[in-house]
Amino acid sequence: MPASATILTTEHLGRRVDGRMLVDDISVEVREGEVLAVVGPSGSGKSSFLRLLNRLDEPTSGTVFLNEVDYRQIPPRELRRRVGMVTQRAFLFPGTVYDNVSFGPQQRGEAFSDDKSEELLVRVGMAGYARRDVTNLSGGEAQRISLARALANSPTVLLLDEPTSALDETAKFEVESLIRDIISQSHLTCVIVTHDRAQAARMAMQVMMLEQGRATRIGTVEEVLHA
Amino acid sequence: MLNRLFTDQLQLGLAQALAAAIVAFTVVLLAGRRKIHLERETAVALLRGLVQIVAVGSVLVLLLRAPRWTGALLLAAMIAAAAATSVKRAKGLPGAFAVSIYSIACGAGSVIAIMTWLGVIDTAITSLIPVGSMLIANAMNTSGLALNRFRSDVLAHVGEIEAALSLGADPRESVQRYVQASFEASLIPAIDSLRSLGIVWIPGLMAGMLLSGSRPIYAAIYQFVVLAMIFAASGLTSLVSTLLIRMHAFTAAEQLLLRPGVQNR
């Protein structure tokens, strides 16, 4: 079986703020359809690393290549369309579920039909919710809409920043299972930040351990988590 | 009571200023009992206000005989001072001084220029400076309110703004609702002044015109003219400051600069 192409590469990626290295010289490759889990203790730089991947923050050293193109050559809005992100809290915009799901395509002036919206809502288990006001959603439902909203942009890479850590136990397993199904069905390349090693083992093929901003181990689940 | 104790006008003025300052400071002390501490800031502001207005009064005495173009210089200096004051309400906002000075110059400066050209504001320094300073002072308040509201709204909604950016939104679109809220909030004082004119308050300018012998109807109409000019200057200032500050809130790579404790470089 031929090796799949490298989609995302970080090359000596670093970010220093006020003399402190939040992310320190990280070089890692993520192949098409692969899930990389970034694990480590609180304050180890996991979220800081993720924010560099869609350029929400600016690297102070190194860079990122998306499909072998230095991402500084890609206009930020186009980059963020291609590298979607789901965060710990859903941060839905005021309005309806449809308003949220259609937000990305509408930013580019693209039409987003009710059918397309419903198709996405079916994928995240929220069929029939399009006209609901987001203020009435539970935490788990809001996170599903947040996922649908990111998928509406048809991203090449999906970044997940502790996507289930703000949810209760039941919702946590439902949302995790949903994310796993979507990733495998869509063959989506994914980077997930989690403090939960068991979740990393369930979801990822490759794991990177971070400590004080540095990658101390990169390898398969067995090599990093079960060593 | 004071006018019986003091016959000299200057002494009477100082005594009246002291009485007004004591009343103002009493309110601050009352607030202090509820753990809202503004004592130092208010004391400095009261003292500064008194010294500054007496200094301006003295300068006006000198300027009465100066050529008319010196009025423009004085107004320019007032705009710079207003921008410096307005910025203090916008700590942490990148480029706040530049935004303030452009917006006040554009808002108050353009209304003063147009109204002077139309003959609504007299070019005599005794008229230009007091009326101009009213427009600049209100523009300063509006700019400070707009910047302060924008800053606090953005800091309270970093998650939503970055969610929008992460979906490929135009940065201007991601903060649009906070720009609108800042604009509306900053104009509330100017709108309320216009609404309550003559019912809740009779402004000092009208009282001054009546005392100096102007016809009451003309004094009343001119007071409306001044408040309408204040509204125009404030509105334009707020519009320019909110439009400019949203550009300063992001880096060239469209990253949000205004986040608690973090700076993008």
Side-chain angles (χ1 to χ4, degrees):
Chain A
M1 196 173 120
S4 49
T6 301
I7 297 289
L8 193 76
T9 308
T10 71
E11 202 173 86
H12 303 294
L13 191 65
R15 178 163 164 82
R16 179 192 288 270
V17 174
D18 296 331
R20 185 172 159 242
M21 289 304 289
L22 301 180
V23 175
D24 193 357
D25 195 29
I26 294 180
S27 298
V28 68
E29 283 185 0
V30 191
R31 295 183 170 274
E32 189 180 1
E34 190 175 57
V35 177
L36 167 70
V38 183
V39 296
S42 293
S44 58
K46 303 186 297 290
S47 294
S48 300
F49 171 71
L50 207 68
R51 291 173 59 87
L52 292 175
L53 299 184
N54 69 346
R55 220 177 162 198
L56 272 185
D57 283 333
E58 192 66 9
T60 50
S61 58
T63 191
V64 177
F65 292 89
L66 181 65
N67 288 325
E68 298 180 356
V69 176
D70 187 331
Y71 78 166
R72 290 169 299 190
Q73 291 169 15
I74 304 170
R77 282 172 233 175
E78 171 59 15
L79 172 75
R80 290 174 192 144
R81 184 200 68 74
R82 289 165 61 186
V83 183
M85 193 179 210
V86 173
T87 50
Q88 191 174 354
R89 282 183 54 203
F91 292 117
L92 298 183
F93 310 127
T96 63
V97 166
Y98 174 82
D99 293 336
N100 276 270
V101 174
S102 61
F103 183 87
Q106 284 182 347
Q107 291 301 301
R108 300 186 296 281
E110 289 175 11
F112 195 78
S113 67
D114 287 353
D115 289 347
K116 271 189 187 171
S117 160
E118 194 56 29
E119 194 181 306
L120 269 173
L121 292 177
V122 169
R123 280 179 77 189
V124 298
M126 297 287 284
Y129 273 65
R131 299 295 157 200
R132 294 265 188 107
D133 193 298
V134 296
T135 48
N136 301 321
L137 300 178
S138 69
E141 288 172 338
Q143 198 60 309
R144 285 167 187 259
I145 300 305
S146 168
L147 182 62
R149 187 171 69 172
L151 294 174
N153 271 341
S154 309
T156 311
V157 178
L158 187 62
L159 309 177
L160 301 159
D161 189 1
E162 306 261 16
T164 60
S165 64
L167 305 177
D168 61 46
E169 282 303 303
T170 315
K172 178 179 170 175
F173 284 104
E174 285 173 4
V175 171
E176 183 192 306
S177 157
L178 173 72
I179 292 172
R180 271 189 286 154
D181 288 348
I182 286 173
I183 290 170
S184 66
Q185 283 162 14
S186 314
H187 203 56
L188 202 56
T189 308
C190 210
V191 181
I192 178 169
V193 158
T194 178
H195 65 273
D196 182 345
R197 285 169 169 238
Q199 185 175 60
R202 285 193 297 270
M203 295 187 73
M205 298 135 196
Q206 196 185 185
V207 179
M208 176 167 73
M209 175 79 79
L210 283 192
E211 280 171 33
Q212 293 181 325
R214 290 189 74 90
T216 52
R217 268 181 285 174
I218 300 175
T220 63
V221 172
E222 286 73 26
E223 286 166 349
V224 177
L225 297 178
H226 302 150
Chain B
M1 191 178 86
L2 288 174
N3 52 4
R4 285 191 211 140
L5 291 171
F6 300 96
T7 47
D8 179 75
Q9 200 177 33
L10 186 59
Q11 286 177 352
L12 177 65
L14 286 173
Q16 287 168 331
L18 186 64
I22 288 170
V23 171
F25 206 72
T26 307
V27 174
V28 174
L29 290 177
L30 281 174
R33 289 176 67 114
R34 303 201 64 174
K35 296 184 179 171
I36 304 165
H37 294 291
L38 295 167
E39 292 90 345
R40 193 167 176 274
E41 195 180 353
T42 311
V44 172
L46 285 170
L47 194 64
R48 263 187 69 168
L50 180 64
V51 170
Q52 285 166 192
I53 197 71
V54 170
V56 169
S58 312
V59 171
L60 274 177
V61 171
L62 295 174
L63 285 175
L64 283 175
R65 293 174 189 282
R68 292 190 174 200
W69 57 263
T70 51
L73 273 183
L74 199 58
L75 288 176
M78 281 178 168
I79 287 173
T85 307
S86 160
V87 157
K88 289 179 187 156
R89 299 281 168 219
K91 276 179 191 158
L93 265 181
F97 182 73
V99 169
S100 290
I101 202 158
Y102 286 140
S103 58
I104 296 171
C106 189
S110 62
V111 172
I112 293 169
I114 292 167
M115 291 302 172
T116 306
W117 179 69
L118 285 172
V120 177
I121 303 174
D122 193 355
T123 52
I125 285 175
T126 47
S127 170
L128 181 65
I129 297 302
V131 175
S133 74
M134 274 191 265
L135 302 192
I136 292 168
N138 280 278
M140 173 186 78
N141 290 337
T142 306
S143 166
L145 284 173
L147 296 181
N148 187 272
R149 174 66 183 260
F150 180 80
R151 175 180 164 275
S152 53
D153 272 3
V154 168
L155 285 175
H157 296 95
V158 167
E160 285 84 351
I161 295 165
E162 291 197 329
L165 292 177
S166 297
L167 290 163
D170 181 333
R172 288 171 300 181
E173 181 69 26
S174 71
V175 292
Q176 184 55 30
R177 77 177 76 235
Y178 314 115
V179 166
Q180 275 172 349
S182 312
F183 179 71
E184 286 165 13
S186 70
L187 282 182
I188 289 173
I191 292 169
D192 283 352
S193 293
L194 264 176
R195 274 189 189 147
S196 60
L197 182 62
I199 301 169
V200 181
W201 68 302
I202 296 174
L205 186 80
M206 183 174 163
M209 286 175 77
L210 291 172
L211 287 172
S212 63
S214 294
R215 287 171 62 189
I217 295 296
Y218 178 70
I221 292 172
Y222 198 74
Q223 186 58 62
F224 168 78
V225 170
V226 170
L227 278 187
M229 286 193 295
I230 286 175
F231 180 79
S234 301
L236 198 53
T237 299
S238 181
L239 199 62
V240 174
S241 78
T242 48
L243 289 177
L244 286 178
I245 200 64
R246 70 178 186 179
M247 288 159 57
H248 284 265
F250 297 93
T251 65
E254 303 185 352
Q255 296 141 339
L256 183 64
L257 274 170
L258 192 59
R259 285 196 289 129
V262 180
Q263 279 197 321
N264 273 299
R265 297 181 181 96

